[in-house]
């Protein structure tokens, strides 16, 4: 596609429910990143996928968070048993090569009530 | 470890005046440096990058940034600010051996008419 597509754009969920966030990167981009943006906290790295290699999960804040990338393309970030502190904007980015820069999606705004 | 500091949460400037948004970094080896801009309810948009070569890099919308190795800085500049430049600006750094960029906390630029 022309850009990185994320869905849904907004998600309101009840505390304790599971949510799935989707990212569709630019076709051909082998690198895919998930970041979390909280008010006043900047961007927090969550997970990195590169091709068919094992993902770098070092940024995931707890075992309630997981992500997968199917066929080297679409990625899904899953948050189980959501908590209020999970409320944030979740951003996905893809890249063809690290020194080319990154293309970000518009994000999913998650609100846990 | 990589780190990026944006010492100002907010920068205010009058339209037509020059603007500077500050960024300092700490990475091992030679850095890759990036600036991104985020408009309300949008993802991050790439402005410019420094990989190697000339210390002064020019990017989108008339922005430029100067890489200063001795001061480990990569300040974003524009000679004449526009009201439409008002947005959130993020600096990012990546060391040569890493694949995961570290972002600063962001600086809110407000350009007054």
């Amino acid at each position: 596609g022309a850009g990185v597509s994320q869905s849904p754009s907004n998600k309101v969920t009840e505390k304790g429910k599971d949510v799935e966030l989707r990212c569709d990167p630019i076709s051909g981009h082998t690198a895919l990143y998930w970041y979390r943006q909280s008010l006043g906290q900047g961007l927090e790295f969550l997970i990195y996928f590169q091709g068919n290699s094992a993902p770098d999960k070092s940024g995931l804040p707890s075992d309630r968070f997981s992500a997968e990338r199917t066929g080297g393309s679409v990625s899904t970030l899953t948050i189980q048993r959501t908590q209020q502190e999970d409320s944030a904007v979740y951003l996905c980015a893809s890249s063809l090569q690290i020194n080319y820069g990154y293309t970000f999606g518009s994000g999913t705004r998650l609100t846990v009530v | 470890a990589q780190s990026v500091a944006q010492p100002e949460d907010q920068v205010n400037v009058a339209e037509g005046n020059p603007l500077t948004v500050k960024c300092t970094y700490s990475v091992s080896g030679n850095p890759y440096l990036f600036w991104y801009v985020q408009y309300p309810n949008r993802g991050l948009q790439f402005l410019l990058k420094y990989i190697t070569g000339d210390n002064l890099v020019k990017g989108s919308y008339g922005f430029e940034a100067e890489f200063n190795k001795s001061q480990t800085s990569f300040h974003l500049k524009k000679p004449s600010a526009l009201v439409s430049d008002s947005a959130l600006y993020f600096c990012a750094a990546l060391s040569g051996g890493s694949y995961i960029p570290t972002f600063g906390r962001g600086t809110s630029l407000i350009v007054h008419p």
Side-chain angles (χ1 to χ4, degrees):
Chain A
V4 177
S5 177
Q6 289 188 247
S7 61
S9 55
N10 282 283
K11 177 71 176 179
V12 180
T13 189
E14 293 181 351
K15 178 181 174 181
K17 299 283 189 182
D18 297 352
V19 295
E20 285 190 353
L21 313 179
R22 176 187 168 104
C23 172
D24 199 344
I26 291 175
S27 178
H29 280 196
T30 56
L32 186 147
Y33 302 78
W34 283 97
Y35 282 85
R36 178 167 69 176
Q37 182 178 18
S38 303
L39 191 63
Q41 297 299 314
L43 270 68
E44 175 189 6
F45 165 73
L46 297 177
I47 189 167
Y48 161 67
F49 295 89
Q50 173 60 52
N52 295 320
S53 302
D56 183 329
K57 306 179 182 180
S58 60
L60 295 178
S62 78
D63 59 7
R64 296 186 295 105
F65 288 72
S66 63
E68 63 178 18
R69 189 179 184 191
T70 54
S73 181
V74 172
S75 177
T76 302
L77 176 69
T78 301
I79 308 174
Q80 296 178 311
R81 305 181 302 282
T82 51
Q83 303 295 312
Q84 288 185 331
E85 60 263 28
D86 299 335
S87 296
V89 176
Y90 289 81
L91 292 168
C92 175
S94 70
S95 177
L96 181 61
Q97 192 170 324
I98 57 170
N99 60 352
Y100 283 14
Y102 311 87
T103 303
F104 281 82
S106 295
T108 294
R109 181 176 298 277
L110 176 66
T111 304
V112 182
V113 297
Chain B
Q2 301 172 166
S3 67
V4 174
Q6 293 181 242
E8 302 151 318
D9 290 335
Q10 185 171 303
V11 170
N12 291 277
V13 64
E15 187 174 31
N17 283 0
L19 69 87
T20 299
V21 183
K22 295 179 181 177
C23 172
T24 59
Y25 64 89
S26 174
V27 304
S28 57
N30 294 321
Y32 296 166
L33 300 165
F34 306 86
W35 275 102
Y36 285 82
V37 59
Q38 185 180 35
Y39 297 99
N41 300 314
R42 303 291 297 276
L44 277 67
Q45 296 178 32
F46 173 79
L47 275 180
L48 51 79
K49 65 180 179 183
Y50 171 83
I51 303 299
T52 187
D54 289 341
N55 290 342
L56 183 65
V57 293
K58 295 185 183 295
S60 307
Y61 312 120
F63 284 93
E64 58 188 30
E66 185 167 12
F67 169 61
N68 188 316
K69 187 173 184 178
S70 63
Q71 297 186 1
T72 62
S73 67
F74 190 57
H75 301 331
L76 182 70
K77 300 182 179 184
K78 186 174 182 181
S80 178
L82 299 173
V83 172
S84 57
D85 292 331
S86 299
L88 190 57
Y89 290 81
F90 288 94
C91 180
L94 183 67
S95 68
S98 175
Y99 297 95
I100 301 166
T102 298
F103 285 80
R105 291 169 59 124
T107 298
S108 177
L109 173 66
I110 299 174
V111 181
H112 302 276

